[in-house]
């Protein structure tokens, strides 16, 4: 007889053997190259994460770009920018495409490089040489010139904020041909060459007059004015013209310069923060959380409350799901790292655990009967009131945890209870390791990863159930591979909610998330 300790009769659905080691050293499943590239595209910020540095991210993305078709790279760049609202990574992918397929790059460029910051990112990345070029070259220069030609004089002037490279540097590199006398004067003004002052755009003249102490603050980005000694009246004028993001990011600045003391301005700001305009459509819930966390106590309570209202608006498209829903936010130690990674001078105060908590709280708001089971090395007992604000519940969740990671424990708890359920949602970096034996060898993980085993047991009791694993970080493994009842997605934009809704309705194609990216038309 064969060894019964090895060849045990299997009951239930087959669980594949682990085929990878995750960043924490635990048993895991490798994501297919296209899915792994998409994961980097919507979570990678080229900053140090808890388990990986910026250089290793760069090397892995370059390797993945070589493994997948150029068309998928292009679609991932578009997805990351249009639906994931990312910046550096989509610019990097477009730069990589210019070295692979120039004609394809020309199709993708205008959809991804959609503002001045993205343009400067693209130029900086290309000139770094990491994607195969050390200079722009003929085709990229043409793409940049077309970008400049497609903007008005005022748009060009207002996007001139920023350095390394500056927009003036970019203009010097690509030598655009001005089509009007005002554009010729503007380019001369920006790059410090002779120009006809009388032909300058009106906005530039207003800016120069204001710098000389004449007139009201012009309608330019406030960064162009911060070097000047502005009065409360002038700061108030800037705030009244400012966009939603400026207001969110400068609450303390407005308080410091007395703006909230001006009659009507407190109400003006609170109304704008609650605005449902198109500008707020590309707002991350975590950005609202950042504003809330950063606002000093002296900022009026009504303004801070308006941020809570903005949070409710930001997650309005969370689906209401039929059946029993369980949400598993990861509150382990690695989730204490900044959501966009660590980089000196630009590390976000918002952590991965804050984002996981926001998503969990938002799901509970639309699904009051959902049960939230936070976990680290074990489950953590936290009770949420679905009637509390999303911000309140998120803060309650983010305040617990901090230990090791075992992604299997929430499902194991449900299995011990013999619980019934229809949907289980993980929000995690999926860096589970506590349930893995030490070392890695040919037979390690032969019986599958702990989370996948627990899910197989759960579906024996709940054959129609589905699982969604939302990975918040730029890592290439998962704890349960995609199949008909398992969806792996990455990122932290509200697109995740749309995909969850489609998945629960059985409307996602084979390949799930990567399949949705494939549907993008170039």
């Amino acid at each position: 007889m064969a060894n019964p300790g090895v060849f045990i009769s299997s009951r239930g659905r087959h669980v594949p053997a682990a085929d990878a080691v995750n960043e924490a050293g635990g048993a895991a499943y490798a994501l297919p190259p296209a899915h792994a590239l998409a994961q980097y595209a919507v979570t990678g910020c080229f900053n140090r994460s808890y388990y990986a540095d910026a250089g290793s991210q760069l090397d892995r993305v370059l390797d993945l770009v070589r493994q997948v078709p150029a068309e998928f790279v292009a679609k991932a760049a578009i997805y990351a920018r249009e639906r994931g609202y990312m910046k550096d990574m989509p610019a990097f992918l477009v730069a990589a495409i210019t070295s692979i397929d120039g004609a394809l790059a020309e199709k993708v460029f205008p959809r991804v490089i959609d503002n001045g910051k993205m343009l400067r990112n693209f130029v900086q990345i290309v000139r770094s040489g990491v994607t195969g070029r050390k200079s722009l070259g003929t085709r990229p220069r043409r793409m940049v010139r077309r970008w400049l030609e497609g903007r008005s004089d005022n748009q060009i002037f207002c996007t001139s904020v920023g350095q390394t490279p500056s927009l003036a540097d970019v203009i010097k590199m690509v030598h655009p041909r001005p089509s009007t006398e005002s554009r010729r004067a503007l380019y001369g003004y920006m790059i410090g060459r002779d120009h006809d002052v009388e032909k300058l755009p009106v906005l530039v003249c207003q800016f120069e007059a204001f710098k000389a102490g004449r007139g009201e603050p012009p309608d330019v980005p406030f960064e162009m004015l911060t070097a000047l000694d502005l009065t409360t009246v002038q700061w108030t004028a800037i705030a009244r013209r400012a966009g939603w993001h400026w207001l969110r990011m400068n609450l303390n600045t407005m308080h410091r310069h007395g703006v909230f003391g001006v009659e009507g301005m407190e109400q003006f700001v609170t109304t704008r923060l609650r605005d449902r305009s198109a500008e707020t459509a590309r707002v991350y819930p975590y950005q609202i959380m950042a504003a809330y966390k950063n606002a000093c106590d002296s900022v009026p309570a009504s303004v801070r409350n308006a941020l809570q209202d903005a949070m409710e608006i930001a997650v309005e498209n969370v689906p209401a799901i039929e059946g029993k829903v369980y949400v598993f936010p990861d509150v382990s130690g690695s989730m204490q790292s900044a959501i966009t990674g660590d980089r000196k001078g630009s590390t976000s105060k918002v952590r991965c655990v804050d984002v996981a908590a926001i998503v969990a709280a938002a799901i509970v708001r639309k699904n009051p009967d959902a049960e939230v089971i936070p976990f680290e090395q074990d489950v953590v007992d936290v009770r949420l009131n679905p009637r509390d604000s999303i911000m309140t519940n998120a803060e309650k969740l983010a305040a617990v945890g901090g230990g090791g990671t075992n992604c299997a424990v929430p499902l194991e708890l449900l299995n011990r209870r013999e619980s019934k359920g229809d949907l289980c949602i993980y929000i995690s970096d999926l860096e589970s390791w506590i349930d893995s034996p030490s070392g890695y060898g040919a037979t390690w993980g032969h019986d599958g990863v702990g989370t996948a085993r627990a899910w197989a047991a759960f579906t024996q009791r709940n054959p129609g159930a589905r699982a969604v694993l939302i990975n918040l970080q730029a890592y290439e493994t998962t704890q349960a591979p995609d199949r008909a009842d398992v969806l792996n997605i990455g990122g932290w934009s509200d697109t995740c909610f749309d995909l969850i809704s489609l998945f629960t309705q059985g409307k996602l194609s084979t390949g799930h998330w990567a399949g949705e990216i494939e549907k993008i038309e170039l």
Side-chain angles (χ1 to χ4, degrees):
M1 182 178 73
N3 185 344
V6 174
F7 301 103
I8 303 171
S9 295
S10 174
R11 297 183 63 187
R13 184 171 294 187
H14 171 68
V15 178
D19 60 7
V21 181
N22 63 26
E23 299 287 348
Y29 300 104
L31 296 172
H35 191 128
L37 180 64
Q39 180 68 36
Y40 278 107
V42 297
T43 59
C45 298
F46 294 120
N47 296 330
R48 173 179 287 278
S49 61
Y50 192 86
Y51 289 110
D53 60 30
S56 64
Q57 281 191 36
L58 173 62
D59 292 340
R60 286 302 300 138
V61 175
L62 281 171
D63 185 49
L64 290 167
V65 165
R66 299 184 189 104
Q67 294 182 48
V68 304
E71 288 79 6
F72 187 84
V73 179
K75 292 175 180 180
I78 293 170
Y79 184 94
R81 183 60 184 155
E82 293 184 349
R83 304 185 197 178
Y85 316 147
M86 299 297 285
K87 299 173 184 175
D88 293 354
M89 191 61 74
F92 175 83
L93 293 178
V94 174
I97 296 168
T98 63
S99 299
I100 301 171
D101 187 331
L104 180 61
E106 291 200 65
K107 289 183 179 179
V108 176
F109 187 89
R111 292 182 64 175
V112 175
I113 311 303
D114 56 2
N115 62 35
K117 178 174 174 54
M118 292 296 292
L119 183 73
R120 293 188 298 103
N121 284 352
F122 171 80
V123 173
Q124 178 188 1
I125 291 166
V126 170
R127 296 185 73 234
S128 73
V130 298
T131 61
R133 292 177 176 270
K134 292 186 178 179
S135 63
L136 285 179
T138 302
R139 196 187 297 262
R141 277 195 176 91
R142 183 166 65 239
M143 293 189 297
V144 174
R145 284 197 294 265
R146 286 175 180 167
W147 188 97
L148 292 168
E149 291 166 359
R151 268 69 185 175
S152 67
D153 290 346
N154 285 357
Q155 287 174 323
I156 295 292
F157 181 58
C158 288
T159 57
S160 61
V161 176
Q163 301 295 322
T164 322
S166 66
L167 191 59
D169 293 331
V170 174
I171 291 169
K172 292 177 184 177
M173 291 176 206
V174 303
H175 306 292
R177 294 181 179 178
S179 58
T180 64
E181 289 302 313
S182 65
R183 182 61 60 91
R184 185 184 304 279
L186 176 61
Y187 285 158
Y189 167 86
M190 291 179 65
I191 65 177
R193 294 184 180 174
D194 292 339
H195 58 277
D196 188 341
V197 175
E198 293 184 355
K199 297 293 178 59
L200 283 172
V202 172
L203 184 62
V204 179
C205 296
Q206 292 173 343
F207 177 70
E208 287 299 319
F210 183 72
K211 285 168 58 179
R214 304 188 305 273
E216 294 297 314
D219 189 10
V220 298
F222 93 101
E223 293 89 346
M224 300 175 72
L225 303 173
T226 51
L228 307 177
D229 186 17
L230 303 179
T231 66
T232 296
V233 172
Q234 291 168 332
W235 275 110
T236 301
I238 291 171
R240 283 196 172 276
R241 284 201 309 265
W244 192 92
H245 277 290
W246 188 93
L247 293 174
R248 170 186 70 84
M249 296 171 64
N250 289 279
L251 298 177
N252 292 341
T253 299
M254 288 187 283
H255 163 68
R256 192 165 56 249
H257 292 284
V259 172
F260 292 123
V262 175
E263 185 178 358
M265 283 306 296
E266 181 179 333
Q267 179 61 40
F268 172 82
V269 173
T270 58
T271 300
R272 288 284 285 116
L273 290 176
R274 295 187 179 107
D275 189 17
R276 295 174 180 269
S277 67
E279 186 181 8
T280 61
R282 299 179 80 172
V283 175
Y284 278 135
Y286 93 83
Q287 291 174 318
I288 301 172
M289 171 69 83
Y292 188 79
K293 289 167 72 81
N294 289 328
C296 66
D297 292 339
S298 298
V299 170
S302 64
V303 174
R304 286 181 278 121
N305 289 338
L307 287 171
Q308 298 205 50
D309 295 336
M311 178 70 81
E312 302 286 341
I313 294 170
V315 297
E316 279 185 339
N317 67 335
V318 175
I321 300 164
E322 293 186 8
K324 181 62 177 178
V325 179
Y326 297 99
V327 188
F328 308 147
D330 183 349
V331 295
S332 64
S334 62
M335 294 288 285
Q336 305 299 314
S337 60
I339 186 65
T340 55
D342 296 315
R343 183 169 62 186
K344 186 176 181 180
S346 62
T347 299
S348 172
K349 286 189 176 182
V350 180
R351 305 160 297 166
C352 295
V353 69
D354 295 315
V355 176
I358 290 169
V359 175
I363 292 171
V364 169
R365 170 52 55 86
K366 283 295 185 72
N367 301 273
D369 294 329
E371 183 176 352
V372 178
I373 306 177
F375 70 95
E376 43 170 47
Q377 58 199 34
D378 203 346
V379 297
V380 180
D381 186 19
V382 176
R383 306 295 174 87
L384 300 186
N385 182 348
R387 295 188 178 184
D388 284 343
S389 72
I390 290 173
M391 203 81 79
T392 298
N393 278 332
E395 289 184 320
K396 185 183 297 185
L397 277 174
V400 301
T405 311
N406 185 348
C407 290
V409 291
L411 284 170
E412 290 172 347
L413 173 65
L414 297 181
N415 288 336
R416 289 195 299 272
R417 291 181 185 170
E418 298 187 351
S419 299
K420 297 292 186 179
D422 300 283
L423 178 64
C424 296
I425 303 174
Y426 279 90
I427 314 108
S428 172
D429 60 5
L430 302 181
E431 290 298 307
S432 189
W433 58 273
I434 283 184
D435 60 332
S436 302
S438 59
Y440 184 76
T443 61
W444 182 67
H446 182 76
D447 58 346
V449 173
T451 305
R453 292 197 307 272
W455 177 245
F458 185 83
T459 55
Q460 280 293 106
R461 194 172 57 258
N462 301 281
R466 295 175 183 266
V468 176
L469 287 76
I470 303 175
N471 192 341
L472 299 179
Q473 289 286 272
Y475 304 133
E476 297 178 52
T477 60
T478 183
Q479 290 292 293
D482 276 355
R483 62 187 198 187
D485 60 349
V486 178
L487 167 67
N488 282 277
I489 52 179
W492 53 81
S493 75
D494 57 5
T495 300
C496 291
F497 299 137
D498 298 331
L499 291 171
I500 291 171
S501 181
L502 290 173
F503 182 60
T504 58
Q505 298 172 50
K507 294 182 180 180
L508 288 190
S509 59
T510 303
H512 295 329
W513 185 39
E516 288 301 295
I517 295 173
E518 285 278 16
K519 292 179 182 178
I520 292 175
E521 295 186 5
L522 298 175

